Amino acid sequence: MTSLLTDDRWRELLHTRATHPGAVRQAYATRKRRSKLLSDSGTLFLVAADHPARGALGVGEDPLAMADRRTLLDRLLVALANPAVDGLLGTPDVVEELLLLGALHDKVVIGSMNRGGLAGADWEIDDRFTGYDAASLIDCGLDGGKMLLRLVDSDPGTIPTLQACATAVTELAAYGLMAMVEPLPYTREGGKLVLQKDPASLARAVTVASGIGTTSAHTWLKLPSTDSPEVLGATTLPVVILGGVPSGDPAGDLVSWGRTLRHDVVRGLVVGRTLLYPPDGDVGAAVDAAAKVLEAAK
């Protein structure tokens, strides 16, 4: 993979971070915003980079793959350089680094809001809002906010997270911003959280997330691909498909995404590690392949 984050650009970024913190505010203020969320084809393709803030750093056999920030930013620059990529989903640190690198002009930028449910922590399901809030998203000129809503019936930590997400949906709607809710049904098996992908669990999660907040006018859902796309018939809200944990089988992932992307309510893809850390290391090719699957489905 050809590096876009040269030594000079990297050193300049570090120098700016240390000597000119006001450059971040300036970069937010001068970002060229895209006039609409959807592409001309009516789709939305975002690259996700909010995993590190929750301590989820592993990819495949490497538990610290996403811990090297220069490598992560370089891979993000490659992905964002593809014209088929509409933008980024990220936490403030990553968004601001890419702003300082000039990579987010004319891109959709969705700020990640709750990252307090640290991966593997006892309190993981009580997922506090530790990133952007609605007011800061408006102040920073971003295009929406994303929240993770893991539903675990046996864990009371679900309740404060559910309430906080409902409040965020209401606040974002008041500003006219997209609220991207990612409802994922889990159970605990032997102390470990296991995602439930059966139709009944997914449909229930869809209906719960659709109904939170005082209005659903600006709500989008971020959902896993499924072998039973008919569960998406549980909502009229626009849906984007998440990449999930890399399976190690890129071809299989593409087939799975393509099957779900064909559903009428689905508008696009939001994928992170699967595209940024493909088994062969070729980020550009992985992004191209995902873009083609989205185009073919729509």
Side-chain angles (χ1 to χ4, degrees), residues 49-57 69 91-94 112 115-118 130:
D50 60 346
H51 310 82
R54 203 173 65 80
L57 301 172
R69 186 50 64 98
T91 45
D93 56 332
V94 175
S112 190
R115 297 280 85 188
L118 303 185
T130 57

Side-chain angles (χ1 to χ4, degrees), residues 49 120 140 178-179 202 262 280 282-283 286 291:
C140 293
M178 173 208 278
L202 286 174
R262 288 192 288 271
D280 64 1
D282 193 338
V283 176

